[in-house]
């Protein structure tokens, strides 16, 4: 059986940042801001000694929480392929912004970016017992995107199939 737990780290948590979709053919190509939110889906084949998939406090989610604030809080997110990257990287020198270069600034690419770090952090915190099945990045109440890593899906399927096979009577 695969156990699932979710943690929503919503916009009210204060991950206020600015970004731009430089390749957009709309006003989204301009720098604009959001208080981003993230929803994490954690999975495990076994619960910990307390009966939890993951500790939502300092022993599990804490390093993810700290990393989210380090990267997103009061930062200008700039895509690594932004043609204006060189100019935008001058803003910290001028004392105008804290710039974070990220793989991309879409919700889709931010969800994948966050998944990569969150999965590594939670694996380390749980000795590999728990993994991040998916991450949803929310711009606001109407827009979000989810990244689900294929390995996460396969882990869950393997667990479900093995559980079912073990439960079947021998022939």
């Amino acid at each position: 059986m695969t156990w699932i737990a979710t943690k929503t780290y919503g916009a009210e948590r204060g991950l206020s940042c600015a970004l731009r979709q430089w390749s957009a053919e709309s006003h989204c190509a301009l720098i604009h801001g959001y208080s981003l939110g993230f929803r994490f889906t954690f999975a495990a084949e076994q619960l910990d000694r307390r009966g939890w998939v993951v500790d939502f406090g300092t022993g599990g989610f804490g390093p993810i929480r700290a990393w989210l604030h380090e990267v997103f809080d009061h930062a200008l997110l700039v895509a690594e392929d932004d043609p204006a990257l060189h100019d935008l990287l001058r803003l910290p020198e001028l004392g105008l912004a804290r710039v974070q270069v990220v793989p991309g600034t879409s919700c889709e690419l931010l969800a994948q970016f966050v998944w990569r770090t969150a999965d590594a952090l939670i694996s380390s915190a749980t000795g590999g017992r728990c993994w991040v099945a998916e991450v949803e990045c929310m711009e606001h109440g109407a827009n979000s995107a989810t990244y689900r890593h294929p390995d996460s899906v396969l882990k869950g399927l393997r667990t479900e199939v093995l559980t079912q096979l073990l439960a079947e009577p021998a022939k």
Side-chain angles (χ1 to χ4, degrees):
M1 168 171 270
T2 302
W3 298 93
I4 300 292
T6 60
K7 174 72 169 177
T8 301
Y9 205 76
E12 72 281 358
R13 299 298 182 133
L15 298 177
S16 301
C17 61
L19 52 85
R20 75 185 198 114
Q21 298 284 335
W22 69 264
S23 62
E25 296 174 5
S26 68
H27 62 278
C28 290
L30 301 174
I31 294 173
H32 57 286
Y34 292 110
S35 184
L36 293 178
F38 296 94
R39 180 172 296 114
F40 297 84
T41 302
F42 299 98
E45 295 173 1
Q46 300 169 347
L47 300 176
D48 71 7
R49 62 180 171 73
R50 298 162 292 198
W52 297 347
V53 170
V54 64
D55 178 353
F56 289 138
T58 57
F61 189 75
I64 296 171
R65 179 186 306 108
W67 180 80
L68 289 171
H69 281 273
E70 178 185 316
V71 173
F72 295 102
D73 190 29
H74 288 79
L76 170 59
L77 307 180
V78 179
E80 60 191 12
D81 64 347
D82 190 318
L85 178 64
H86 177 74
D87 294 325
L88 294 168
L89 287 174
R90 293 187 56 234
L91 294 175
E93 298 167 14
L94 300 170
L96 297 175
R98 189 172 70 81
V99 174
Q100 291 284 355
V101 179
V102 295
T105 54
S106 66
C107 279
E108 292 83 352
L109 291 174
L110 289 173
Q112 182 184 39
F113 172 65
V114 169
W115 176 87
R116 282 190 180 118
T117 297
D119 190 57
L121 290 172
I122 211 66
S123 179
S124 175
T126 64
R129 182 187 55 77
C130 180
W131 66 91
V132 179
E134 64 184 38
V135 172
E136 179 182 8
C137 174
M138 300 165 284
E139 286 179 341
H140 48 68
N143 295 350
S144 73
T146 300
Y147 177 76
R148 183 180 302 138
H149 193 275
D151 287 348
S152 299
V153 175
L154 291 175
K155 281 182 188 178
L157 288 174
R158 278 193 304 268
T159 301
E160 296 301 323
V161 168
L162 289 173
T163 301
Q164 186 175 9
L165 287 173
L166 292 171
E168 290 179 6
K171 294 181 184 181

